[in-house]
Amino acid sequence: IAYNSLGQGMLTDKLTKESFAGNKPAKMMKIAWDDLTPLRKALREIADAHSRSDDEKKVSMAQVAICWCRTKGTIPLVGCRSKHQAEDTLASMSLHLTLEEVASLDA
């Protein structure tokens, strides 16, 4: 079971550098924004590669992170606080990552 698979929001599109400054888990774990940036960039690039330009299928960073957990044989636990988050989590089930994409997230 993958607990905290979205890193308390650190691996989602919603996080900004400004909101990161108040992220308590990041402070507790002494994670700096610059440390998180390469992983967030990889998640965004993969999400963009799986998204269609017509906005009919917009893949989120959260969907990619949840999918990555599944590729590792875990069951990701995600706390959904809204209908949108629940729909986003459910949409991650139809996403499949290539070996190259998994490797880029592992790096």
Side-chain angles (χ1 to χ4, degrees), residues 69-99:
C69 289
R70 289 193 348 264
T71 67
K72 299 300 180 175
T74 67
I75 300 168
L77 295 180
V78 180
C80 300
R81 292 185 176 89
S82 69
K83 180 182 175 188
H84 172 73
Q85 289 177 346
E87 291 169 345
D88 196 52
T89 298
L90 184 59
S92 74
M93 297 302 292
S94 63
L95 184 64
H96 301 282
L97 302 178
T98 66
L99 293 175

Side-chain angles (χ1 to χ4, degrees), residues 10-84:
M10 288 186 276
L11 303 180
T12 67
D13 292 298
K14 187 176 178 179
L15 187 74
T16 65
K17 191 171 184 177
E18 293 75 30
S19 64
F20 178 79
N23 187 291
K24 290 179 185 179
K27 288 180 183 179
M28 288 176 23
M29 294 183 281
K30 298 180 181 178
I31 298 173
W33 177 258
D34 290 340
D35 297 333
L36 198 55
T37 300
L39 176 56
R40 289 181 51 79
K41 182 180 177 191
L43 288 167
R44 170 63 13 233
E45 288 173 355
I46 293 168
D48 288 346
H50 285 270
S51 294
R52 285 191 280 192
S53 61
D54 60 6
D55 277 343
E56 183 179 316
K57 183 184 174 196
K58 175 91 168 134
V59 175
S60 69
M61 290 170 53
Q63 289 176 20
V64 176
I66 293 166
C67 185
W68 177 86
C69 289
R70 289 193 348 264
T71 67
K72 299 300 180 175
T74 67
I75 300 168
L77 295 180
V78 180
C80 300
R81 292 185 176 89
S82 69
K83 180 182 175 188
H84 172 73

